[in-house]
Amino acid sequence: MDCLFCKIAHHEIPSLVVREDADTLAFLDINPRAAGHTVVIPKQHAATLLDVPREALGLFWQAVQATALQLHTVLQPDGFTIGVNQGRCAGQAVDHLHVHIIPRWEGDGGGSIHTVVNAPPTEELAKIHEKIVQSNPKS
Ligand code: 5GP
Ligand code: ZN
């Protein structure tokens, strides 16, 4: 498989590594939106969050937290935007799960996750809720 982030995960393509363990790698985004903009990936290929084996998820999110803690300690930002672009419509360009950790500072001019899209549904909230829980009775 020709996957850019698999190659970065296996150090076949160089990156500026922020944190590494046996299962995950965090490295600086090549096109940072803020100082310290980092992406965290599982080393095992998974195109999206939906493709990650359940047993790998805990370690992965622990790595996201550890990376954010490292950035918090060193760069002392006022906050973070932490998120995933999933699917082309949402801006996913690399089909290997990656969590963006973007340090944020007061007055940096950026918005919140709510500024990513503003297409509220015409259908009632309760109807949408009903549909969602009907298809997943455990929720
Ligand atoms: P996406 O749009 O898929 O959520 O984000 C992909 C991210 O990967 C982008 O922010 C882009 O700048 C970053 N990126 C793409 N190619 C490389 C690369 O070769 N090295 C590094 N470090 N980052 C990359
Ligand atoms: Zn991959």
Side-chain angles (χ1 to χ4, degrees):
M1 192 194 335
D2 195 31
C3 172
L4 173 65
F5 282 3
C6 278
K7 288 180 183 154
I8 288 180
H10 299 112
H11 301 285
E12 290 161 20
I13 289 178
S15 69
L16 295 172
V17 174
V18 169
R19 183 185 180 278
E20 180 169 16
D21 60 37
D23 305 295
T24 70
L25 186 75
F27 54 96
L28 291 183
D29 195 297
I30 207 166
N31 187 21
R33 305 301 299 221
H37 179 176
T38 298
V39 288
V40 186
I41 62 172
K43 287 187 178 176
Q44 192 185 346
H45 181 83
T48 77
L49 182 63
L50 306 187
D51 305 301
V52 180
R54 200 168 185 274
E55 60 278 8
L57 272 178
L59 282 174
F60 178 63
W61 286 101
Q62 282 174 34
V64 173
Q65 188 199 44
T67 304
L69 190 57
Q70 190 176 344
L71 294 169
H72 171 78
T73 304
V74 177
L75 300 177
Q76 300 194 315
D78 297 314
F80 289 104
T81 294
I82 298 173
V84 176
N85 296 321
Q86 180 162 318
R88 289 288 173 273
C89 73
Q92 182 174 12
V94 179
D95 290 334
H96 180 131
L97 172 64
H98 49 286
V99 174
H100 291 264
I101 304 180
I102 305 178
R104 299 294 305 271
W105 281 269
E106 296 294 347
D108 65 12
S112 73
I113 282 177
H114 296 81
T115 62
V116 168
V117 66
N118 188 14
T122 50
E123 214 176 347
E124 256 178 67
L125 218 50
K127 283 261 176 240
I128 296 171
H129 177 254
E130 195 182 315
K131 237 188 266 180
I132 296 167
V133 296
Q134 261 174 11
S135 63
N136 186 10
K138 275 185 258 162
S139 62

